[in-house]
Amino acid sequence: MAVAPRKPPTKRDWSWRSQAFRGLLYQILAVLVIGGVAWFIAHNTAENMRVRGIKSGFDFLAQPAGFDIGESLTHFDSNDPYWKAFLIGISNTLRVAIIGIILTTILGTLIGVGRFSRNGLVRGLCQTYVELFRNVPVLLQLLMWYLLFTEFLPDIADAKQIGSFFLSKGGFTFPAPVWENGHLWALAGIVAGGVGAWLYRRWAQSKFEETGHLRSMFWVPVIIVIVGGVVGWIAGGAPAEFKLPVKGEFAIEGGGALTPEFMAVLIGLTLYTASFVAEVVRAGIQSVARGQSEAAQALGLSTGQEMQKVLLPQALRVIIPPMTNQFLNLTKNSSLAVAIGYPDVVSISNTALNQTGRAVECIALIMAVYLTTSLLTSLFMGWYNAKSAIQER
């Protein structure tokens, strides 16, 4: 039995003739130059501010903020420090960005796939949607939705009520659960159900490749997640207490609420970005060779199976990179929410800047927040892009 000869260990060439060595050296020099320029700018700015008697530093974050925040996921008081106000601003920004990305992906994908519908009316409506929403500036769309909510929704005294749900100029108010440990158990059950759904999908995919028998790839995973959440909820004592909203003299008190500002930002950004995502999906599907569609039809696959099993998996390699750009744009465009009074991180920073005069520090915090969220989004989408790449043999 012949034994393949072992390859000699590769040695790194640290001479100038090595392209890898020169590339590494250039990268190190570039990092040093950028770091030096950044240090020079920071040092020069701090020195000029000191000479002019302008206070600098981030010590103001520990001082009382002295202002209220109209919308937050946690309680905030004007006596709380600035750092807590910034955290609430960041959470409001992330709430819009994460929910907006999910809704944008769903809506944009449906519109993009609808461009290939055999129904002419559906194709026309999808194309009209894309041309309408992507050609109107996003700031105008945010203002339009905000004005619609504040002008046409009824006053609080005349709020529309359906059971324990209220709709008025104060927003959409609904019963909110009283947080207990049982809800944490339910969340853990949902996470466990998500892991189980992922394992099931992998098993179903492997069986499909072995036998050609197609199992449910959507409803069964959804049921697994729901069952996991219910089991966790029961294991945590099945808490079922809710805070019910009550109509007051000047406001709807209690419960949870979606304010007009939040709804305007979310709907405006979702509809605007989804029009671009739809074009990305359409271009990705069109990049797949027509023979793939003909082969799917020859195998007897339905239109939905053809799109799900043949076209979209191959189109992902074209869709994901520009889709990442649209997710980043949605997150950064959320900064326009300051125009309609939504208390995101930009709005909180502007208020802190006006009260403390720490312009450089507040702007640096805004830059750090958006830089961090953008990098994390890019890293996740890069991982997903590598995972979805077509594996060649």
Side-chain angles (χ1 to χ4, degrees):
M1 181 177 179
V3 179
R6 297 181 61 183
K7 294 182 179 181
T10 58
K11 295 182 179 180
R12 290 186 176 274
D13 187 0
W14 298 104
S15 66
W16 184 255
R17 294 173 297 180
S18 171
Q19 183 178 0
F21 173 74
R22 292 198 305 271
L24 178 62
L25 184 61
Y26 291 150
Q27 293 179 40
I28 294 175
L29 290 176
V31 171
L32 292 177
V33 170
I34 294 173
V37 171
W39 175 86
F40 173 77
I41 293 175
H43 176 74
N44 193 40
T45 302
E47 185 64 21
N48 289 334
M49 293 175 65
R50 185 189 63 80
V51 171
R52 289 166 175 77
I54 301 176
K55 293 182 179 180
S56 62
F58 293 93
D59 56 307
F60 74 96
L61 292 176
Q63 301 173 2
F67 61 87
D68 293 324
I69 299 177
E71 183 171 354
S72 63
L73 296 176
T74 59
H75 175 72
F76 180 83
D77 187 79
S78 58
N79 293 322
D80 290 332
Y82 278 104
W83 64 262
K84 188 173 182 180
F86 274 96
L87 287 181
I88 290 177
I90 294 172
S91 66
N92 287 340
T93 297
L94 293 178
R95 181 165 60 139
V96 169
I98 294 174
I99 299 177
I101 286 174
I102 295 173
L103 296 179
T104 293
T105 304
I106 297 173
L107 179 60
T109 302
L110 293 176
I111 298 294
V113 172
R115 296 289 297 273
F116 296 92
S117 173
R118 297 175 181 176
N119 188 312
L121 178 60
V122 174
R123 291 198 308 271
L125 289 176
C126 292
Q127 184 174 359
T128 301
Y129 171 89
V130 170
E131 297 301 331
L132 174 64
F133 283 97
R134 75 171 179 173
N135 290 307
V136 178
V138 62
L139 180 57
L140 293 181
Q141 295 192 39
L142 298 184
L143 293 174
M144 177 193 70
W145 286 107
Y146 181 66
L147 291 176
L148 286 176
F149 287 136
T150 55
E151 289 293 331
F152 293 99
L153 289 180
D155 294 329
I156 294 177
D158 302 321
K160 293 184 178 180
Q161 180 179 0
I162 301 177
S164 297
F165 297 85
F166 294 86
L167 183 63
S168 66
K169 292 185 185 297
F172 177 66
T173 310
F174 51 89
V178 178
W179 181 260
E180 298 180 16
N181 291 333
H183 295 104
L184 187 61
W185 279 88
L187 181 61
I190 292 175
V191 173
V195 174
W198 176 73
L199 293 175
Y200 167 81
R201 283 179 60 90
R202 292 196 61 179
W203 172 82
Q205 184 66 30
S206 64
K207 289 298 182 181
F208 173 74
E209 294 174 356
E210 292 177 4
T211 65
H213 177 62
L214 182 63
R215 292 172 171 81
S216 173
M217 301 292 284
F218 177 77
W219 290 113
V220 172
V222 168
I223 292 174
I224 292 175
V225 174
I226 294 176
V227 170
V230 171
V231 170
W233 176 69
I234 295 175
E241 184 180 357
F242 282 81
K243 293 185 294 184
L244 300 178
V246 179
K247 183 189 295 186
E249 185 176 357
F250 301 104
I252 307 296
E253 302 173 353
L258 301 178
T259 64
E261 293 81 8
F262 173 77
M263 291 190 294
V265 172
L266 181 62
I267 294 175
L269 291 178
T270 298
L271 295 179
Y272 176 76
T273 312
S275 63
F276 291 91
V277 170
E279 285 296 275
V280 170
V281 173
R282 179 192 61 81
I285 295 175
Q286 282 187 332
S287 68
V288 180
R290 186 174 181 82
Q292 298 292 317
S293 179
E294 295 173 350
Q297 295 173 11
L299 292 173
L301 297 181
S302 65
T303 303
Q305 291 174 337
E306 173 190 341
M307 186 65 66
Q308 180 184 2
K309 295 295 182 182
V310 178
L311 299 182
L312 280 178
Q314 297 184 67
L316 281 179
R317 59 190 178 90
V318 179
I319 291 175
I320 292 177
M323 183 91 76
T324 303
N325 292 335
Q326 298 308 321
F327 291 165
L328 297 179
N329 288 337
L330 186 147
T331 303
K332 291 181 288 188
N333 285 337
S334 66
S335 61
L336 297 174
V338 67
I340 59 175
Y342 180 69
D344 68 334
V345 66
V346 176
S347 177
I348 300 298
S349 298
N350 287 339
T351 304
L353 187 155
N354 292 330
Q355 293 189 174
T356 63
R358 308 291 177 90
V360 175
E361 291 80 358
C362 291
I363 294 175
L365 288 173
I366 297 176
M367 293 174 60
V369 169
Y370 284 107
L371 178 62
T372 302
T373 54
S374 297
L375 290 177
L376 290 176
T377 303
S378 299
L379 287 175
F380 174 78
M381 294 301 294
W383 167 80
Y384 184 69
N385 187 33
K387 185 176 181 298
S388 303
I390 298 176
Q391 303 295 330
E392 298 182 356
R393 297 181 180 178

